[in-house]
């Protein structure tokens, strides 16, 4: 989950699905980081739960942006034909369709790989991000733990959700002004609050930064917190 990096437990997924059945709700499963999870085979999607129970109440959204190229801006939806057909009609009246070049690139690549090749690529990508996560965790532990910040270890994805301690309850100025001046980019937690409320959290990304850059970023964040 973005930004927290949390992963729903299987029991909670089942409980949420049963609530949707009880109140006759449609579930929109937006899960762009699913294929980045190293143990995704052990995680049932809402779509798979829906398929087993036969209710037809889940629309699942996946993305190629995290797997192939962020610039493709291409994803796909899976669900009951009745819902997908209505979504397709809506798309035709809004943006017509996604980029034809992006679609062709994805089609040719998937055709070349086949299902096994795609699965191998997804597993390799998950391992890559898992290694990037470990580098950032090590840098955070070395520079921020235990008095300056705390965090939970994300199972997958590309973000670390950091709670700033040391009496800081609003990270907006810290991130958007002081950190920028120090040459470090984070996203303040307030950006993810529906009511735009102050937050003591910041989101750090480990998707593209080098090992050295992540260490420097945590060093500079620690210095800013201490000021």
């Amino acid at each position: 989950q973005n930004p927290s990096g949390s992963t729903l437990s299987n029991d909670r997924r089942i409980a949420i699905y049963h609530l949707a059945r009880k109140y006759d709700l449609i579930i929109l499963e937006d899960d762009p980081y699913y294929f980045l999870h190293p143990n995704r085979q052990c995680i049932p999607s809402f779509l798979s739960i829906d398929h087993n129970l036969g209710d037809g109440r889940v629309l699942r959204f996946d993305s190629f942006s995290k797997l192939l190229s962020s610039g493709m801006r291409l994803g796909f939806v899976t669900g009951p034909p009745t819902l997908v057909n209505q979504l397709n009609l809506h798309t035709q009246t809004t943006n017509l369709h996604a980029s034809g070049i992006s679609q062709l690139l994805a089609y040719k690549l998937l055709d070349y790989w086949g299902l096994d090749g795609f699965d191998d690529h997804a597993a390799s990508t998950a391992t890559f991000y898992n290694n990037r996560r470990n580098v950032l965790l090590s840098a955070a532990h070395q520079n921020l733990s235990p008095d300056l910040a705390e965090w939970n270890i994300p199972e997958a994805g590309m973000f670390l959700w950091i709670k700033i301690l040391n009496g800081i309850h609003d990270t907006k100025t810290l991130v958007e002004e002081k950190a920028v001046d120090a040459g470090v980019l984070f996203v303040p937690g307030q950006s993810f609050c529906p009511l735009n409320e102050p937050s003591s959290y910041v989101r750090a990304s480990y998707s593209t930064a080098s090992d050295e850059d992540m260490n420097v970023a945590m060093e500079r964040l620690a210095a800013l917190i201490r000021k």
Side-chain angles (χ1 to χ4, degrees):
Q1 193 268 346
N2 178 18
S4 71
S6 61
T7 300
L8 281 176
S9 67
N10 291 353
D11 289 342
R12 193 172 184 187
R13 290 171 190 267
I14 296 294
I16 291 172
Y17 185 82
H18 284 307
L19 281 174
R21 293 186 73 186
K22 179 179 179 180
Y23 295 102
D24 196 22
L25 302 175
I26 293 175
I27 296 176
L28 304 180
E29 184 177 21
D30 182 18
D31 199 5
Y33 304 99
Y34 173 77
F35 290 101
L36 301 186
H37 200 293
N39 299 311
R40 67 183 188 281
Q41 293 86 353
C42 301
I43 302 175
S45 66
F46 284 107
L47 183 67
S48 66
I49 297 171
D50 189 51
H51 177 75
N52 291 333
L53 295 178
D55 265 3
R57 66 176 64 253
V58 175
L59 274 173
R60 177 179 172 83
F61 300 89
D62 289 275
S63 173
F64 287 124
S65 295
K66 309 299 185 291
L67 282 170
L68 303 183
S69 171
S70 57
M72 295 182 74
R73 313 313 300 165
L74 190 64
F76 56 97
V77 59
T78 313
T82 301
L83 295 179
V84 173
N85 289 340
Q86 292 300 312
L87 189 61
N88 189 41
L89 290 173
H90 177 71
T91 299
Q92 292 176 15
T93 60
T94 52
N95 64 338
L96 190 59
H97 56 72
S99 166
I101 294 177
S102 293
Q103 292 186 70
L104 180 61
L105 287 172
Y107 166 73
K108 297 299 288 186
L109 188 55
L110 294 173
D111 184 58
Y112 173 77
W113 274 340
L115 290 176
D116 289 340
F118 173 77
D119 192 63
D120 290 342
H121 173 73
S124 175
T125 304
T127 298
F128 169 80
Y129 280 114
N130 196 57
N131 292 336
R132 308 301 302 138
R133 178 206 66 181
N134 291 341
V135 172
L136 183 57
L137 286 173
S138 177
H141 180 76
Q142 180 178 347
N143 291 283
L144 303 176
S145 182
D147 300 323
L148 300 182
E150 60 186 21
W151 56 88
N152 292 320
I153 299 176
E155 293 183 12
M158 53 183 66
F159 304 113
L160 184 63
W161 188 233
I162 304 172
K163 182 178 182 179
I164 306 300
L165 305 177
N166 207 35
I168 297 176
H169 304 291
D170 184 356
T171 60
K172 187 174 178 64
T173 299
L174 175 73
V175 168
E176 295 182 348
E177 297 179 17
K178 297 178 181 179
V180 171
D181 291 341
V184 186
L185 297 179
F186 299 99
V187 180
Q190 184 171 338
S191 297
F192 303 97
C193 295
L195 300 180
N196 198 34
E197 297 172 330
S199 170
S200 59
Y201 285 86
V202 302
R203 191 194 72 175
S205 172
Y206 49 83
S207 59
T208 60
S210 67
D211 293 9
E212 181 181 359
D213 284 345
M214 285 191 276
N215 278 296
V216 170
M218 293 298 104
E219 289 176 0
R220 293 180 181 177
L221 178 59
L224 291 171
I225 296 173
R226 290 192 179 99
K227 287 184 178 179

